[in-house]
């Protein structure tokens, strides 16, 4: 084995171990904050896997969007709703756990079997475009994937507006649980805009 | 415009001179760029800290550091040594793991971003294809570290500071990326080397600052906000938040934050000089100088001149911007958090979007000036 | 539509103004870079306090008649005058006198009103202690003479800006004999009595 | 960098494991934020799959990478809207326990 191949192998092993163990931590850890930070680690190592796959652009996009936006959003949300609360006990939690775990394990074994038994039609490595992938992705986005690209932009706009509308506090005039009117004064304080239009 | 400076190749040749195989030479080479970057970044920080103290002192009619070395040049080293030997305190109710991981997560992406900073045609660590996009992606990791240290400190000021830092960093990343995108649109490449080469035609006249004045201003404002420099230093606003997310930190962990913020400042200044001020390019085109001296362009003198002037020009431009940042620090008052977000979302974002649109239009209309 | 254009116009104007003010501010900061530093390297150099400096109060025990005027005129009744009536001589006998400089505001009222001039202001201002109770000076501590900046051999005394000769900004290399700009108090005093002829000769245009 | 040392199956197995962990977390989490995180894990598993196939099977046209870009876009939108929904839920119910969101249960 040459050095490059060994390095690749070590990188892959470490990254996939981090992905699996981190993901287990995300779902199993008691503290939700730890989960969120571990999720960031999982995203980072997935980006590392993309780098191994010769896709630096997608890796950077993964870091930018998942770590920089999604994970920070999740941590923000946790900090906003992080209140110590005692969960109500559920009677049949044990059987639920057992059933869901067995379903997941079955699915995993099925998937792995498919992965291992199926014969994949691999293409020859010398066709690989490597560093040119950024240009190729751009070509794809503006030719055969133009419609999905535009739809995605509309989707992002819709999601942005929807998220703002949902997260705004003053959409409800009265409290749902108590029926009392919500004090809007505290929420919507009018502030002097930074660059005012005095006319 | 190849200046014939391939560091890795010459280093490998040098090692092969000792009878080593090329693979072993490669392995010895691998950690060296990282080491070089670390040394460069730390030296840059030392110089910047000294400059900051001296220029701040001058702006306030003080002397500044004077006793440590001539003109106090050893003062930053003394500061660093002090922080190094200070007791490393982890508050009793703090979360030890996250408390330690936070500063590391803040510092490492910043240092990694130095990979793409070119000081000359071949004087950069890795000319990766995604170039400037790597920096944008890496700088988005920082808020995680800030949130982490803010949360782990178990302190209201720290948490508020961390949340503010993350909010600020996220909202200013968008105009930053958009103004970079306008440059990339003109260059047709994300690589920093290509971006500089595209500006090297006619000396100072071909710099991007003339083609992208709005983008330059937007980028500089956003870079200051990303570095938490003074008009935008709300995350560590000492009058309101003690020191923000750094409140509970001491010793070397605090030094990591300190180092990170200064490395980030230098990095931003370097990137401004690369994106808008022609990088390693000399204000007067080298060809003109060669013509003036009646020398052919590939004469050894000109070659050496261009290679050595590259680093000097890049660093000079970067430090000029650092100087402006320090002047701004003593000129502008701190903005409020709502003003900060207003400026980011309601002013810079539309302006940078319009800038991008106009750049695209100009590129179609005048392809010879705005990149083909 | 017109309104919208006006809005855009004013928006651009505001942005332009913001840039202009920023430029003005930076040019002020830049201008300061050219100015001389006014730093005094404190433990090694000290400014000479001005003549009317109100520093730590000096007190002479033997002059005090324990009249307690100082206590009455003090805004916070700070001086503690500990006396007993001597029945035989029918006179006040002063035991102790103390002022707490942690509380004193150095207004100088006590000095002003003291009938026997046993209180006076000194130019001593270095009152730092490790324990604030050490600032409660008794009559012995109050009677100590202040250390003078100009006589301390380990200190380089510096004149303040107003006491420098005309046109000089740097206090470092000024000989002690150089006259300051403007008149000294005794010169002002002489000037105010032009009829006294023997003094008039001495005043030889101090501005030169 | 060519990928002689690592077979395609290795990537697929990692992504399958990640996907199953995501499903397990989706089924068993009681904290709504953790449910969102599990969904992100599953999306990432799918992304690894797409990327692996794109680089092993379709390494010239790389349509998998384009798909991954779309998935990342959708995931960002999903996270934003999901967390906004979560916030308004929390504001009304003052809890993030999935078991208490049972208004539609029959």
């Amino acid at each position: 084995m040459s050095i490059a191949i060994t390095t690749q192998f070590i990188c892959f092993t470490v990254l996939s171990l981090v992905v699996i163990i981190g993901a287990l931590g995300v779902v199993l850890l008691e503290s939700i904050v730890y989960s969120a930070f571990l999720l960031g680690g999982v995203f980072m190592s997935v980006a590392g896997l993309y780098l191994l796959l010769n896709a630096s652009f997608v890796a950077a996009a993964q870091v930018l969007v998942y770590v920089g936006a999604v994970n920070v959003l999740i941590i923000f949300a946790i900090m906003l709703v992080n209140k110590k609360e005692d969960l109500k006990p559920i009677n049949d939690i044990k059987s639920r756990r057992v059933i869901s775990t067995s379903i997941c394990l079955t699915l995993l074994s099925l998937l792995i079997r498919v992965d291992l038994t199926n014969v994949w039609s691999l293409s020859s490595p010398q066709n690989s475009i490597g560093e040119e992938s950024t240009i190729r992705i751009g070509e794809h986005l503006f030719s055969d994937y133009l419609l999905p690209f535009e739809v995605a932009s509309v989707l992002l706009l819709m999601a942005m507006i929807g998220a703002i509308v949902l997260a705004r506090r003053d959409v409800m005039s009265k409290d749902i649980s108590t029926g009392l009117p919500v004090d809007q004064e505290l929420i919507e304080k009018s502030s002097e805009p930074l660059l005012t239009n005095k006319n | 415009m190849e200046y014939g400076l391939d560091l890795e190749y010459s280093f490998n040749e040098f090692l092969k001179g000792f009878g080593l195989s090329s693979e072993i030479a490669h392995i010895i080479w691998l950690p060296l760029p990282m080491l070089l970057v670390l040394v460069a970044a730390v030296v840059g920080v030392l110089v910047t800290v000294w400059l900051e103290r001296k220029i701040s002192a001058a702006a306030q009619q003080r002397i500044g550091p004077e006793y440590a070395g001539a003109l106090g040049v050893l003062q930053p080293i003394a500061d660093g040594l002090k922080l190094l030997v200070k007791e490393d305190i982890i508050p009793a109710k703090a979360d030890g793991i996250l408390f330690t991981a936070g500063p590391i997560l803040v510092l490492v992406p910043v240092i990694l971003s130095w990979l793409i900073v070119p000081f000359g045609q071949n004087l950069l660590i890795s000319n990766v294809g995604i170039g400037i996009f790597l920096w944008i992606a890496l700088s988005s990791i920082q808020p995680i570290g800030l949130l982490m240290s803010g949360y782990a400190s178990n302190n209201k000021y720290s948490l508020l500071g961390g949340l503010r830092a993350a909010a600020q960093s996220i909202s200013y990343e968008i105009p930053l990326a958009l103004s970079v995108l306008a440059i990339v649109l003109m260059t047709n490449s994300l690589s920093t080397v290509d971006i500089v080469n595209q500006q090297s035609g006619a000396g100072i006249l071909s710099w991007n600052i003339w083609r992208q004045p709005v983008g330059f201003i937007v980028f500089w404002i956003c870079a200051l906000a990303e570095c938490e420099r003074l008009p935008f230093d709300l995350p560590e606003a000492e009058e309101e938040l003690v020191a923000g997310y750094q409140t509970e930190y001491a010793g070397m962990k605090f030094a990591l934050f300190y180092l990170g913020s200064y490395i980030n400042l230098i990095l931003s200044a370097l990137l401004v000089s690369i994106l808008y001020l022609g990088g390693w390019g000399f204000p007067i085109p080298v060809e003109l100088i060669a013509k003036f001296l009646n020398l052919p362009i590939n004469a050894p003198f000109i070659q050496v001149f261009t290679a050595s002037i590259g680093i000097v020009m890049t660093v000079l431009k970067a430090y000029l911007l650092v100087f402006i940042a320090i002047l701004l620090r003593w000129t502008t008052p701190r903005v409020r958090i709502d003003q900060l977000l207003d400026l980011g979302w309601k002013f810079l974002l539309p302006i940078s979007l319009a800038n991008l649109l106009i750049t695209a239009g100009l590129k179609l209309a005048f392809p010879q000036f705005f990149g083909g | 539509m017109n309104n919208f254009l006006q809005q855009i116009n004013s928006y651009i104007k505001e942005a332009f103004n913001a840039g202009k003010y920023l430029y003005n501010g930076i040019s002020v900061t830049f201008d300061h870079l050219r100015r001389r530093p006014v730093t005094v390297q404190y433990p090694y150099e000290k400014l000479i306090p001005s003549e009317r400096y109100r520093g730590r109060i000096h007190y002479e025990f033997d002059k005090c008649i324990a009249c307690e005027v100082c206590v009455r005129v003090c805004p916070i009744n700070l001086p503690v005058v500990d006396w007993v009536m001597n029945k035989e001589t029918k006179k006040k006998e002063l035991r102790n006198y103390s002022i707490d400089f942690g509380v004193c505001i150095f207004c100088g009222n006590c000095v002003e009103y003291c009938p026997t001039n046993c209180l006076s202001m000194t130019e001593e201002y270095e009152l730092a202690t490790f324990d604030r109770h050490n600032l409660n000076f008794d009559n012995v501590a109050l009677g100590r003479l202040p250390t003078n900046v100009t006589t301390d051999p380990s200190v380089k005394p510096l004149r303040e800006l107003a006491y420098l000769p005309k046109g000089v900004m740097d206090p470092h290399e000024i000989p002690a004999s150089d006259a300051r700009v403007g008149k000294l108090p005794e010169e002002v005093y002489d000037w105010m009595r032009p009829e006294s002829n023997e003094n008039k000769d001495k005043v030889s245009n101090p501005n030169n | 960098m060519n990928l002689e040392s690592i077979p395609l199956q290795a990537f697929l197995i990692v992504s399958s494991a990640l996907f199953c962990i995501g499903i397990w977390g989706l089924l068993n989490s009681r904290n709504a934020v953790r449910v969102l995180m599990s969904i992100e894990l599953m999306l990432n598993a799918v992304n690894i799959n797409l990327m692996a196939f794109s680089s092993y099977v379709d390494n010239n046209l790389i349509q998998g990478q384009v798909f991954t870009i779309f998935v990342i876009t959708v995931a960002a939108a999903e996270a934003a809207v999901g967390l906004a929904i979560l916030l308004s839920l929390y504001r009304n119910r003052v809890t993030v326990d999935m078991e208490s969101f049972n208004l539609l249960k029959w």
Side-chain angles (χ1 to χ4, degrees):
Chain A
M1 279 212 282
S2 77
I3 293 163
I5 289 177
T6 322
T7 324
Q8 263 181 30
F9 184 72
I10 292 169
C11 285
F12 177 77
T13 319
V14 169
L15 286 173
S16 25
L17 275 179
V18 171
V19 167
I20 301 297
I21 293 168
L24 280 173
V26 169
V27 294
L28 291 176
L29 275 181
E30 196 72 8
S31 154
I32 186 83
V33 179
Y34 273 50
S35 296
F37 285 125
L38 264 182
L39 187 69
V42 173
F43 289 156
M44 289 294 294
S45 14
V46 170
L49 286 180
Y50 293 171
L51 275 183
L52 272 184
L53 289 167
N54 281 336
S56 49
F57 181 80
V58 183
Q62 162 96 6
V63 171
L64 183 64
V65 177
Y66 272 113
V67 181
V70 172
N71 201 21
V72 172
L73 255 183
I74 286 175
I75 294 168
F76 259 119
I78 288 170
M79 306 244 163
L80 288 175
V81 301
N82 195 12
K83 197 186 63 169
K84 277 272 177 291
E85 56 176 314
D86 298 318
L87 299 176
K88 270 176 269 163
I90 307 170
N91 318 334
D92 49 352
I93 183 95
K94 275 231 171 92
S95 60
R96 272 206 210 178
R97 284 273 153 83
V98 169
I99 293 169
S100 58
T101 311
S102 57
I103 287 175
C104 286
L105 285 178
T106 320
L107 185 63
L108 179 63
S109 54
L110 181 71
L111 283 173
I112 288 178
R113 176 153 178 80
V114 171
D115 293 342
L116 293 179
T117 51
N118 199 350
V119 181
W120 308 102
S121 61
L122 300 179
S123 58
S124 58
Q126 56 263 34
N127 272 342
S128 172
I129 52 167
E131 282 287 313
E132 298 285 300
S133 60
T134 313
I135 297 165
R136 186 57 57 85
I137 289 171
E139 281 168 3
H140 274 306
L141 284 182
F142 283 100
S143 57
D144 42 350
Y145 290 101
L146 185 60
L147 185 65
F149 182 68
E150 298 295 339
V151 171
S153 64
V154 175
L155 174 84
L156 277 179
L157 183 67
M158 274 163 29
M160 189 172 80
I161 295 169
I164 291 169
V165 169
L166 278 171
R168 262 175 91 94
R169 275 174 200 239
D170 56 352
V171 283
M172 284 163 294
S173 55
K174 55 185 172 184
D175 199 328
I176 281 188
S177 51
T178 58
L180 294 169
V182 178
D183 187 11
Q184 305 270 339
E185 292 285 309
L186 280 172
I187 299 160
E188 277 285 287
K189 244 188 200 164
S190 65
S191 63
E192 194 74 9
L194 187 58
L195 294 163
T196 46
N197 39 354
K198 293 176 197 119
N199 49 353
Chain B
M1 291 276 279
E2 285 290 328
Y3 299 142
L5 261 172
D6 191 341
L7 289 179
E8 180 173 2
Y9 178 74
S10 42
F11 181 79
N12 281 359
E13 289 297 304
F14 175 69
L15 279 190
K16 271 183 212 160
F18 291 107
L20 292 169
S21 77
S22 68
E23 275 198 338
I24 291 172
H26 185 67
I27 286 177
I28 295 174
W29 166 257
L30 273 179
L32 276 182
M34 253 356 257
L35 211 67
L36 207 67
V37 159
L38 263 180
V39 170
V42 169
V43 169
V45 167
L46 293 180
V47 174
T48 312
V49 169
W50 180 77
L51 272 181
E52 168 119 51
R53 297 182 75 144
K54 270 307 205 196
I55 294 171
S56 302
Q60 297 169 342
Q61 300 183 39
R62 294 187 283 114
I63 294 176
E66 170 144 287
Y67 288 104
L71 289 174
V73 282
L74 297 178
Q75 189 63 44
I77 298 172
D79 288 357
L81 277 178
K82 182 202 80 174
L83 287 171
L84 196 68
V85 296
K86 262 179 96 162
E87 186 187 356
D88 187 21
I89 301 168
I90 295 179
K93 290 279 177 67
D95 190 321
I97 303 167
L98 296 185
F99 192 78
T100 314
I104 298 171
L105 261 184
V106 172
L107 184 64
V108 168
V110 186
I111 292 182
L112 275 182
S113 307
W114 278 66
L115 285 178
I116 58 146
V117 177
F119 291 94
Q121 179 70 32
N122 284 314
L123 277 176
L124 81 166
I125 306 302
S126 66
N127 187 5
V128 285
I130 56 166
I132 198 82
F133 190 45
L134 180 77
W135 171 61
I136 293 173
L138 281 175
S139 69
S140 70
I141 300 175
Q142 242 191 344
I144 301 266
L146 299 177
L147 278 172
M148 198 182 266
S149 45
Y151 170 80
S153 298
N154 201 2
N155 176 327
K156 288 185 180 66
Y157 294 124
S158 299
L159 184 59
L160 266 179
L163 285 175
R164 272 189 186 185
Q168 173 175 339
S169 163
I170 289 177
S171 22
Y172 277 80
E173 211 148 79
I174 300 162
L176 189 81
L178 283 174
S179 49
V180 170
L181 197 58
I183 296 278
V184 171
L185 201 64
M186 297 197 311
T187 320
N188 291 326
S189 169
L190 288 161
S191 152
T192 42
V193 177
D194 291 352
I195 289 173
V196 176
N197 276 338
Q198 192 248 352
Q199 304 175 53
S200 65
I204 193 167
L205 290 176
S206 61
W207 289 358
N208 271 337
I209 184 169
W210 310 119
R211 284 177 279 193
Q212 290 284 330
V214 179
F216 171 70
I217 290 165
V218 170
F219 187 92
W220 183 234
I221 292 174
C222 294
L224 284 180
E226 291 270 315
C227 302
E228 288 152 18
R229 290 293 300 181
L230 199 91
F232 310 107
D233 74 333
L234 321 149
E236 51 212 79
E238 60 267 18
E239 290 89 355
E240 339 167 8
L241 291 182
V242 188
Y245 52 84
Q246 308 170 351
T247 307
E248 298 286 351
Y249 282 89
M252 207 51 214
K253 290 194 190 108
F254 174 77
L256 289 187
F257 277 128
Y258 195 76
L259 206 63
S261 76
Y262 275 104
I263 293 182
N264 209 353
L265 175 66
I266 302 167
L267 181 72
S268 303
L270 279 171
L271 281 168
V272 172
S273 72
I274 285 158
L275 290 177
Y276 293 97
L277 300 179
W280 63 80
F282 197 63
I284 307 158
V286 180
E287 289 82 0
L288 266 183
I289 298 175
K291 216 159 127 192
F292 182 72
L293 295 174
N294 274 329
L295 286 168
I297 185 68
N298 51 0
F301 169 72
I302 293 291
Q303 292 267 326
V304 170
F305 176 74
T306 44
S308 56
I309 208 80
I311 299 177
V312 176
M313 282 321 289
T314 319
V315 171
L316 210 64
K317 286 167 188 169
Y319 274 105
L320 185 74
L321 288 158
V322 169
F323 175 68
I324 291 173
I326 296 170
L327 280 194
L328 270 174
R329 172 181 177 178
W330 296 112
T331 306
T332 49
R334 184 182 304 127
V335 294
R336 269 195 330 253
I337 185 79
D338 61 322
Q339 291 172 333
L340 175 94
L341 295 178
D342 267 7
L343 181 71
W345 290 102
K346 294 188 186 165
F347 185 76
L348 295 180
L349 182 61
I351 279 194
S352 53
L353 271 174
N355 181 45
L356 181 63
L357 200 68
I358 291 167
T359 308
L362 286 174
K363 177 177 165 147
L364 287 180
F366 308 105
Q368 65 271 36
F369 292 121
F370 290 89
Chain C
M1 185 63 196
N2 200 20
N3 194 22
F4 178 69
L5 282 180
Q6 249 177 10
Q7 269 187 346
I8 286 184
N9 191 18
S10 66
Y11 196 74
I12 291 170
K13 240 181 228 162
E14 290 281 335
F16 182 76
N17 275 341
K20 204 177 76 188
Y21 296 145
L22 209 58
Y23 173 77
N24 287 346
I26 282 206
S27 49
V28 168
T29 316
F30 197 82
D31 187 54
H32 274 259
L33 290 179
R34 303 186 295 117
R35 301 188 187 179
R36 283 199 54 82
V38 292
T39 307
V40 174
Q41 304 276 20
Y42 166 64
Y44 313 111
E45 301 174 347
K46 284 175 189 171
L47 286 178
I48 305 168
S50 50
E51 289 125 3
R52 298 291 186 92
Y53 190 83
R54 298 202 297 240
R56 197 258 294 168
I57 291 166
H58 180 253
Y59 169 77
E60 284 173 68
F61 189 80
D62 298 336
K63 279 191 191 172
C64 185
I65 55 171
C67 65
E68 291 197 4
V69 161
C70 49
V71 183
R72 263 176 280 148
V73 298
C74 181
I76 42 177
N77 301 342
L78 186 60
V80 177
V81 189
D82 174 18
W83 54 267
V84 286
M85 180 60 92
N86 191 332
K87 290 272 166 53
E88 289 163 19
T89 58
K90 295 202 172 151
K91 276 184 177 167
K92 286 175 178 173
E93 203 168 85
L94 189 57
R95 293 269 182 79
N96 271 305
Y97 185 92
S98 66
I99 296 176
D100 190 348
F101 286 111
V103 190
C104 179
I105 60 167
F106 302 98
C107 65
N109 264 356
C110 46
V111 178
E112 195 79 15
Y113 284 93
C114 182
T116 59
N117 279 341
C118 68
L119 289 168
S120 60
M121 287 297 203
T122 68
E123 54 189 45
E124 187 180 321
Y125 52 86
E126 288 157 322
L127 290 169
T129 54
F130 286 105
D131 182 359
R132 71 174 113 161
H133 302 298
N134 290 349
L135 287 173
N136 196 351
F137 281 37
D138 69 347
N139 44 10
V140 180
L142 283 169
R144 223 178 281 137
L145 281 173
T147 47
N148 204 333
V149 172
T150 43
T151 54
D152 192 341
S154 65
V155 172
K156 183 179 170 65
L158 293 181
R159 297 204 218 171
E160 280 175 45
L161 204 59
Y163 294 94
L164 291 174
K166 196 181 181 190
V168 177
M169 300 298 280
D170 185 11
H172 282 91
E173 306 299 330
I174 303 296
S177 56
D178 276 16
R180 67 158 145 122
V181 69
K183 289 168 180 149
L184 291 173
E186 57 265 29
E187 290 164 350
V188 175
Y189 181 70
D190 291 341
W191 171 77
M192 282 169 74
R193 290 188 310 163
E195 66 271 11
S196 63
N197 289 324
E198 70 270 30
N199 283 333
K200 202 175 182 181
D201 301 335
K202 283 182 189 170
V203 183
S204 56
N205 207 354
N207 275 337
N208 291 344
Chain D
M1 199 189 289
N2 53 346
L3 290 159
E4 294 147 14
S5 58
I6 312 157
L8 170 64
Q9 281 84 349
F11 282 96
L12 296 187
I13 286 170
V14 169
S15 111
S16 320
L18 192 57
F19 191 77
C20 292
I21 291 169
I23 288 187
W24 194 90
L26 191 66
L27 293 175
N28 284 303
S29 305
R30 294 193 60 183
N31 192 326
V33 183
R34 190 165 294 172
V35 172
L36 277 173
M37 292 200 267
S38 306
I39 295 173
E40 297 296 341
L41 284 184
M42 287 160 67
L43 281 169
N44 263 286
V46 172
N47 277 352
I48 294 177
N49 237 2
L50 285 170
M51 295 295 291
F53 280 128
S54 138
S55 120
Y56 280 93
V57 180
D58 179 29
N59 61 10
N60 196 29
L61 284 178
I62 54 164
Q63 311 206 24
Q65 295 196 17
V66 185
F67 261 89
T68 309
I69 299 273
F70 283 125
V71 173
I72 288 175
T73 318
V74 173
E78 175 258 349
V81 176
L83 289 168
I85 291 173
L86 179 77
L87 271 188
S88 52
L89 261 179
Y90 179 76
R91 216 171 281 140
N92 292 332
R93 291 299 184 93
V94 205
T95 179
V96 284
D97 185 7
M98 289 305 278
E99 297 294 325
S100 65
F101 303 145
N102 52 6
L103 219 60
L104 286 176
K105 206 173 173 184
W106 41 273

